[in-house]
Amino acid sequence: MKRIGIALGGGGAKGFAHIGVIKVLRENKELLPAIAAGTSAGSIVASLYAGGLSQEKLEESAKKFGWFHDVINLPDTARLLIGRKMSGLLSNASLGQSVNELLGGRTFNDLEIDLAVVATDIENKRRVIFTSERMADNINYSELKKYLPEPENSKPGFSTHVVSDFNDIGKAVQASCAVPGVFQPVEIKGMKLFDGGLIDQIPVDVIRAMGADISIGVSLALATIHNKISNPVYAASSIFGILGIHQIRKSLDLADIGFQISGIEKKSSIDPKQYELLELGKTEMEKHTDELKSLLEN
């Protein structure tokens, strides 16, 4: 049997659209991914899918989601303000706790579906991939270098660091979602980690390196680009999005099936009360099921 891998991209609250993508794959059991990787918001859905959460539970969690309950940790944020240790305005520690509660405290090594969570180590100029011990032993590093070449012959580059001895999936997801300037970096094993989207918005190369025979890449591109630049936050967000377009295209071209969810650019990246996002993801994935079935058969 060919192994399907799915790479889910970042996009704030627009990440709920990934739940619709997963729903279609679950309705076609032969299309279920055995490998999942995610960046930023994509890492949340990838982790919960790999953790075996039912579709009903995924959708229920989306409907209950709230920034001040599931992401932003107010006590930690207050301590930052008092101590003036502000590499970011907010703490997103509650996100890690929420993910771990939904996963029942399971670790990367406990999951039946192979999982990878991507973050960025700015200080050491490297991408950080959190995964299980069994996967780290078998990961194809040459595949990773195709997307992200290391420094060579006086040319700049970013290295990749695979971490397999860290059991806290929630905290890895927290790091993957730590948008610079908004959230504090997340400290793990001596590293100060930020959003994985800085360097790998849709980790298609990661699922290929993990052994996916067929790769699906799902983009929420343009999620941070605003039609009207009405304030400095929108300007900074849009610049971040535009700079990432080239890497998004590169990742989607690497995938056997790579697509952007239609209509996603019209939705808010901060308003979680957009349940139609799930339908957008479902509709887009349905367009590609025949192609995916064909790849499995050939």
Side-chain angles (χ1 to χ4, degrees), residues 147 197-201 222 224-225 235-249:
Y147 170 81
L198 291 172
I199 194 165
D200 194 355
Q201 291 203 31
L222 310 181
T224 60
I225 301 175
S237 172
S238 297
I239 290 169
F240 178 75
I242 289 170
L243 290 175
I245 290 296
H246 70 285
Q247 58 154 294
I248 290 171
R249 180 58 187 270

Side-chain angles (χ1 to χ4, degrees), residues 46-276:
S47 297
L48 299 182
Y49 166 71
L53 259 73
S54 68
Q55 190 64 29
E56 182 181 14
K57 186 67 174 177
L58 272 176
E59 295 183 20
E60 177 188 326
S61 298
K63 290 178 181 178
K64 291 181 177 179
F65 180 87
W67 288 105
F68 291 100
H69 177 266
D70 295 297
V71 178
I72 299 169
N73 187 293
L74 294 177
D76 279 2
T77 298
R79 283 191 286 272
L80 292 174
L81 293 170
I82 293 170
R84 297 185 179 180
K85 296 180 179 179
M86 298 179 65
S87 299
L89 296 174
L90 305 167
S91 164
N92 68 341
S94 292
L95 174 60
Q97 296 164 10
S98 298
V99 169
N100 281 334
E101 286 176 10
L102 288 168
L103 291 175
R106 278 170 287 176
T107 71
F108 287 95
N109 294 322
D110 296 330
L111 307 179
E112 293 183 7
I113 294 171
D114 289 314
L115 171 68
V117 172
V118 178
T120 304
D121 180 358
I122 295 177
E123 292 182 343
N124 293 300
K125 299 180 180 62
R126 61 188 181 183
R127 170 178 57 178
V128 178
I129 299 173
F130 293 95
T131 192
S132 65
E133 293 175 0
R134 66 177 179 274
M135 181 49 63
D137 290 338
N138 295 288
I139 202 162
N140 185 339
Y141 284 87
S142 62
E143 193 70 47
L144 296 176
K145 291 178 182 178
K146 289 180 184 178
Y147 170 81
L148 191 65
E150 295 187 355
E152 183 181 9
N153 298 328
S154 74
K155 295 179 182 178
F158 253 67
S159 62
T160 296
H161 179 49
V162 177
V163 177
S164 62
D165 59 348
F166 185 72
N167 292 326
D168 192 331
I169 296 176
K171 195 161 188 177
V173 168
Q174 179 189 340
S176 185
C177 296
V179 179
V182 178
F183 295 114
Q184 280 284 111
V186 179
E187 296 191 21
I188 297 176
K189 298 181 76 66
M191 300 177 288
K192 293 181 179 179
L193 301 178
F194 287 98
D195 195 301
L198 291 172
I199 194 165
D200 194 355
Q201 291 203 31
I202 312 165
V204 173
D205 67 309
V206 175
I207 57 172
R208 287 165 59 95
M210 293 168 73
D213 300 300
I214 300 171
S215 54
I216 305 170
V218 185
S219 170
L220 306 179
L222 310 181
T224 60
I225 301 175
H226 301 272
N227 293 328
K228 294 183 179 181
I229 309 301
S230 55
N231 59 59
V233 173
Y234 277 19
S237 172
S238 297
I239 290 169
F240 178 75
I242 289 170
L243 290 175
I245 290 296
H246 70 285
Q247 58 154 294
I248 290 171
R249 180 58 187 270
K250 185 176 181 180
S251 291
L252 294 182
D253 286 344
L254 271 177
D256 294 299
I257 296 177
F259 58 87
Q260 175 176 313
I261 295 177
S262 299
I264 204 74
E265 68 278 3
K266 299 176 183 178
K267 302 299 178 180
S268 170
S269 58
I270 60 173
D271 179 10
K273 306 305 180 185
Q274 305 173 96
Y275 305 130
E276 66 271 24

Side-chain angles (χ1 to χ4, degrees), residues 2-6 21 24-25 28 30-33 213-216 256-257 259 285-298:
K2 294 179 180 177
R3 301 184 79 204
I4 297 174
I6 189 164
V21 172
V24 174
L25 297 174
N28 297 267
E30 72 274 23
L31 305 183
L32 284 174
D213 300 300
I214 300 171
S215 54
I216 305 170
D256 294 299
I257 296 177
F259 58 87
M285 188 66 241
E286 287 174 338
K287 297 176 184 177
H288 300 277
T289 53
D290 288 343
E291 182 184 359
L292 185 52
K293 289 176 182 178
S294 178
L295 287 171
L296 274 174
E297 294 169 357
N298 297 326

Side-chain angles (χ1 to χ4, degrees), residues 19-40:
I19 298 175
V21 172
I22 295 297
K23 183 173 185 176
V24 174
L25 297 174
R26 282 177 156 166
E27 290 172 348
N28 297 267
K29 294 190 183 302
E30 72 274 23
L31 305 183
L32 284 174
I35 298 168
T39 292
S40 199

